[in-house]
Amino acid sequence: MTILFTDARLIDPETLTETRGNLVVADDGSIAGPWSGAKPPKGATVIDCGGKCLAPGIVDWGVKIGEPGERHRESFGSAGAAAAAGGVTTIIARPDTLPAIDTPETLEFVTRRAAGASPVRIRHMAALTKGRDGHEMTEIGFLLDVGAVAFTDVFAVCADSKTLSRAMTYARSLGALIVGHPQDPGLSAGAATTSGKFASLRGLPAVSPMAERMGLERDLALVEMTGARYHADQITTARALPALRRAREAGLDVTAGTSIHHLTLNEFDVGDYRTFFKLTPPLRSEDDRQAVIAALAEGLIDVIASFHTPADEESKRLPFEEAAAGAVALETFLPAAMRLHHGGHLSLPQLFRAMARNPARRLGLPQGCLSPGAPADLVLFDPDAPFLMDRFRLRSKSKNTPFDGARMEGRVLGTWVGGAQVFQAEE
Amino acid sequence: MAFRARHLLGIEPLQPLEITTVLDLAERYVELNRRTVKQSDALAGMTQINMFFEASTRTQSSFEIAGKRLGADVMNMSVAQSSVKKGETLIDTALTLNAMHPDLLVVRHPSSGAVNLLAQKVDCAVLNAGDGRHEHPTQALLDALTIRRAKGRIQRLTIAICGDIAHSRVARSNLILLGKMENRLRLIGPPTLMPAGVADLGAEVYDDMREGLKGADVVMMLRLQKERMDGGFVPSMREYYHRFGLDAEKLSHAAPDAIVMHPGPMNRGVEIDGDLADDINRSVIQDQVEMGVAVRMACMDLLARNLRRERGRKIAETLV
């Protein structure tokens, strides 16, 4: 079915431009291009965008879904519904499941389950080492064959540099992308917050921000040694940035991401031991937050992801040290990102470059742009619509959002995947 | 009345006037406690539950005596015999106890913030008897009372806190209280036991005992736990005692009338010289124990008054 979007504010992350215009989606579910005809194409459905923003759907790199093993926290169905409502059209799922996605059989199983259950696209990363325990590499070749887009042990840092260097060397021969979590495992062991005045006053175990730089420096040295393709999942501190810059300037095949929470919240938000603000890595100082925003604006950091991590009430209603880390974010990702837009830090095209185009491009996916021929994965949203966040209205099975009760702006009006509408906002 | 708090979770939320209100009332309980008949009816008919998730003899018995002297029915629940061992969560334990309608809940827990979490779930007044490395408010209040009685004031003093600052809730509560009362604070200890960012909290940080003690009016020693002494944080017990243990020589750098304090239990020969601890001219360690009972009585009395007022208001609202 051909669709004509009229009077849209088109957000193009490729050209970094915003234009007022029309967009046609061909009946094969791909973007056909702009339309300047006086009448709509024959048989086309016309959608009047009323001057609202039309952008490529978000490609959210690093979403935890509880399948297999923890379906009570999140299923492919609930994650997919949450994603559609949040303007996320491609979920890049994490392998830190129970058991880990570390064999081609498990990957095939989850791929099949996801295909039937989710209205949005779901692609999987696979574990880098068996059981994510940092000892033996997984069957990287077979896993690539069944569709793994990248390899990562998620937050379980491979402490043994020899194992990691071998996995990187092997991965390079297959062109596989490795995603690292830059963190020195020794220094950060047991930490619940970032060290500093606030952590000291609250009496919480803390990690120096230096642990991130140490982890990153180690990984980058191994990249230099092995020639692997590498992506750092979350850069959240100012101190890690010079290392990243050096690696880029040296021409290493390195990209980096950060999380929407670290861009919009800081360590003080934990306040009176609020466990919904306990994240991995922990929230940072305001100086770090500002430095990371600047690095993103400059293009040193490529990707913003939500790191959606569903946690049930039982695992959060505990003393801070013992509580689970992580926050759900599929539905709050876009409104949280609007804070960066309204704060004047990043333009809408810059945001969608980091939330859609860059992750898609790095993962070798055709999504993330408005160019003719690209899949028509689109989000229509009003960047200014205000609302009061109520966590019990989230579609995720888990309700652990740090934005509960927050005033937010940015509302998704409609979401399309391959030209088919998967979400329509209620009036 | 200057004390408005619903719970006593820490020193941080208290105003200086609230602190002096507690101290003034505690003075009256010091008098009461020195009589032969030490009875008051401030908590008559009320139920106090002492819930200790972490072993404690001194604090628990201090709270127990305080409650009994005020006429409360006191129950002790220690974790060794409780359902917490059977996997019950903190919240469930709290809700179970809450259903028994206690009026005062005295809680100690090994995790920072655990007492705050618990206070959100119960209807009674909650007293923090120490949570992780966070706060131990009654200890800071009893230290303040001890200092005020020994020095005649609790302002404009130079106070040195020495030892394992990083793992000490006593140090945090004292730092906050003494800071609020406008004293000059010094923290002395090996850098491995100094928490990050303390310099921003308005204290001067020293890693040399003699320099840090120079001219101090009050010397507060902290307990160093044995498991931190075997190379993890400091190389050995003897090196620690040599550099940071308080003895007569190191104390001679402090003001001539400086008092020596310790929250107990002491490790004689580790952080403090045994003879010095027993020196009645310098050490106020026994006074601290005495003030502990009085301060806890004052805190519970004040919280009970607020609780009664709140409940009275609720009843009045239903009548209107």
Side-chain angles (χ1 to χ4, degrees):
Chain A
M1 189 176 71
T2 311
I3 311 172
L4 172 65
F5 290 93
T6 60
D7 192 22
R9 193 168 147 197
L10 296 165
I11 311 295
D12 189 346
E14 200 68 52
T15 55
L16 283 178
T17 52
E18 274 185 55
T19 45
R20 198 69 175 255
N22 307 330
L23 188 78
V24 179
V25 171
D27 57 5
D28 66 350
S30 68
I31 292 168
W35 180 262
S36 47
K39 276 200 287 188
K42 212 168 170 197
T45 311
V46 179
I47 295 171
D48 181 5
C49 300
K52 303 293 187 243
C53 296
L54 189 66
I58 298 168
V59 178
D60 193 0
W61 190 349
V63 173
K64 163 90 181 256
I65 298 172
E67 292 200 46
E70 293 170 295
R71 247 164 80 189
H72 68 288
R73 293 188 172 196
E74 195 83 283
S75 66
F76 287 121
S78 63
V88 174
T89 51
T90 304
I91 288 174
I92 309 298
R94 299 196 323 231
D96 53 341
T97 47
L98 294 173
I101 301 173
D102 59 356
T103 63
E105 290 77 12
T106 320
L107 180 53
E108 271 193 317
F109 170 75
V110 291
T111 307
R112 208 166 43 239
R113 275 203 50 86
S118 165
V120 307
R121 299 176 203 271
I122 298 187
R123 298 297 302 269
H124 284 91
M125 293 190 282
L128 182 64
T129 63
K130 290 172 187 157
R132 301 196 302 123
D133 66 1
H135 293 305
E136 299 164 33
M137 71 178 93
T138 52
E139 294 169 306
I140 296 175
F142 282 152
L143 285 161
L144 279 174
D145 290 344
V146 285
V149 289
F151 294 83
T152 181
D153 284 346
V154 195
F155 303 143
V157 178
C158 183
D160 182 353
S161 301
K162 186 163 256 172
T163 304
L164 183 57
S165 76
R166 283 190 188 137
M168 280 185 173
T169 307
Y170 190 81
R172 188 206 49 196
S173 71
L174 295 163
L177 177 67
I178 288 179
V179 179
H181 178 64
Q183 194 69 222
D184 182 76
L187 205 55
S188 59
T193 47
T194 303
S195 65
K197 189 169 110 178
F198 180 76
S200 291
L201 266 178
R202 286 286 177 271
L204 290 169
V207 57
S208 164
M210 199 59 99
E212 182 173 290
R213 167 168 142 201
M214 290 167 66
L216 184 65
E217 295 269 24
R218 193 266 317 237
D219 286 5
L220 293 176
L222 291 175
V223 169
E224 189 178 328
M225 187 173 107
T226 61
R229 300 176 61 219
Y230 179 85
H231 174 78
D233 66 347
Q234 298 179 70
I235 297 296
T236 59
T237 63
R239 281 184 173 147
L241 295 171
L244 185 61
R245 195 183 303 277
R246 273 201 311 280
R248 281 288 181 78
E249 284 166 3
L252 301 184
D253 191 354
V254 167
T255 51
T258 191
S259 104
I260 189 64
H261 296 121
H262 290 85
L263 291 169
T264 49
L265 304 168
N266 69 25
E267 55 182 347
F268 294 114
D269 286 305
V270 169
D272 190 15
Y273 301 99
R274 293 189 290 171
T275 56
F276 282 5
F277 291 83
K278 184 175 179 182
L279 304 172
T280 310
L283 286 169
R284 306 301 193 182
S285 70
E286 179 62 11
D287 289 347
D288 280 331
R289 188 181 81 88
Q290 295 290 348
V292 172
I293 292 174
L296 197 63
E298 173 200 344
L300 182 59
I301 292 177
D302 312 89
V303 173
I304 310 175
S306 80
F307 290 88
H308 177 86
T309 305
D312 48 40
E313 301 282 307
E314 281 65 40
S315 62
K316 282 288 187 185
R317 274 174 40 170
L318 291 171
F320 197 85
E321 278 171 62
E322 296 152 39
V328 291
L330 284 166
E331 283 163 87
T332 50
F333 191 3
L334 187 134
M338 288 307 116
R339 289 187 172 181
L340 297 169
H341 165 62
H342 293 301
H345 299 294
L346 293 162
S347 68
L348 289 173
Q350 275 180 313
L351 278 171
F352 279 87
R353 181 173 263 242
M355 302 194 306
R357 177 222 185 234
N358 285 349
R361 184 170 274 206
R362 184 62 168 158
L363 290 161
L365 305 175
Q367 282 85 13
C369 58
L370 296 182
S371 315
D377 290 9
L378 300 165
V379 54
L380 178 66
F381 66 98
D382 179 351
D384 305 312
F387 69 99
L388 203 60
M389 177 68 213
D390 172 4
R391 71 190 184 108
F392 293 107
R393 298 186 63 171
L394 292 175
R395 287 158 181 83
S396 283
K397 283 192 185 176
S398 298
K399 315 291 182 194
N400 53 309
T401 171
F403 295 113
D404 185 37
R407 292 168 198 280
M408 305 189 91
E409 286 172 281
R411 195 159 166 261
V412 175
L413 304 171
T415 309
W416 289 261
V417 174
Q421 187 160 16
V422 294
F423 175 75
Q424 165 77 53
E426 294 161 26
E427 282 312 308
Chain B
M1 227 286 271
F3 192 85
R4 286 275 165 212
R6 173 82 162 73
H7 306 292
L8 182 65
L9 301 177
I11 298 295
E12 205 182 352
L14 297 183
Q15 304 293 326
L17 193 57
E18 289 180 298
I19 293 168
T20 44
T21 303
V22 174
L23 301 186
D24 293 346
L25 182 60
E27 291 279 8
R28 287 173 29 204
Y29 282 119
V30 174
E31 297 309 313
L32 179 76
N33 287 338
R34 286 180 178 178
R35 289 187 212 150
T36 314
V37 178
K38 311 171 177 63
Q39 269 298 327
S40 147
D41 58 359
L43 298 188
M46 291 188 149
T47 305
Q48 171 193 343
I49 300 183
N50 296 336
M51 203 156 109
F52 279 65
F53 293 89
E54 199 178 67
S56 155
T57 321
R58 309 161 61 95
T59 309
Q60 187 169 341
S61 42
S62 181
F63 269 109
E64 188 176 349
I65 288 178
K68 285 183 170 160
R69 287 187 181 161
L70 293 175
D73 295 313
V74 186
M75 195 201 102
N76 286 315
M77 200 192 98
S78 59
V79 75
Q81 33 205 289
S82 84
S83 49
V84 176
K85 286 260 149 99
K86 298 175 197 156
E88 190 178 58
T89 66
L90 179 63
I91 303 265
D92 286 333
T93 310
L95 291 177
T96 306
L97 283 179
N98 193 47
M100 301 178 195
H101 296 292
D103 304 287
L104 291 155
L105 205 53
V106 178
V107 188
R108 169 170 286 190
H109 196 281
S111 296
S112 304
V115 183
N116 301 45
L117 177 67
L118 198 142
Q120 293 164 13
K121 308 288 172 187
V122 296
D123 305 319
C124 58
V126 177
L127 271 102
N128 183 359
D131 62 325
R133 313 170 184 179
H134 178 218
E135 282 229 45
H136 190 354
T138 55
Q139 179 72 43
L141 289 164
L142 76 89
D143 287 341
L145 183 60
T146 311
I147 295 170
R148 199 171 78 169
R149 287 171 67 97
K151 290 282 162 198
R153 63 174 200 271
I154 186 72
Q155 284 91 16
R156 302 182 314 281
L157 293 165
T158 301
I159 299 170
I161 306 178
C162 320
D164 182 0
I165 314 283
H167 299 98
S168 174
R169 52 193 172 216
V170 176
R172 277 179 185 72
S173 286
N174 265 314
L175 193 61
I176 299 168
L177 188 152
L178 297 168
K180 278 184 199 277
M181 306 310 274
E182 297 180 4
N183 293 285
R184 184 170 176 191
L185 292 167
R186 296 180 183 166
L187 299 175
I188 312 171
T192 45
L193 293 173
M194 202 57 78
V198 278
D200 301 338
L201 296 174
E204 301 160 45
V205 178
Y206 293 89
D207 55 14
D208 182 295
M209 197 83 173
R210 291 171 184 86
E211 217 177 292
L213 288 182
K214 208 163 279 173
D217 302 302
V218 177
V219 182
M220 263 185 199
M221 300 306 296
L222 296 172
R223 176 180 160 75
L224 179 65
Q225 279 168 10
K226 289 230 160 58
E227 61 267 25
R228 310 212 203 277
M229 272 177 282
D230 47 11
F233 290 88
V234 292
S236 69
M237 197 185 292
R238 58 183 193 180
E239 182 161 329
Y240 184 81
Y241 182 65
H242 177 71
R243 293 189 61 204
F244 297 100
L246 187 68
D247 53 23
E249 191 278 319
K250 290 192 192 99
L251 186 61
S252 69
H253 293 81
D257 61 346
I259 55 167
V260 176
M261 305 175 75
H262 194 296
M266 277 183 283
N267 295 312
R268 289 169 185 259
V270 177
E271 69 249 354
I272 189 161
D273 175 62
D275 291 341
L276 190 58
D278 298 332
D279 180 353
I280 51 163
N281 295 319
R282 308 306 294 271
S283 161
V284 293
I285 296 172
Q286 297 308 316
D287 300 346
Q288 287 176 274
V289 180
E290 185 189 353
M291 295 310 127
V293 177
V295 154
R296 286 171 183 130
M297 289 168 84
C299 291
M300 289 198 286
D301 183 356
L302 291 167
L303 287 174
R305 291 185 206 184
N306 290 351
L307 198 65
R308 280 207 191 89
R309 191 178 310 116
E310 186 188 306
R311 286 179 182 165
R313 213 170 24 234
K314 267 188 197 153
I315 293 169
E317 277 166 17
T318 59
L319 293 177
V320 171

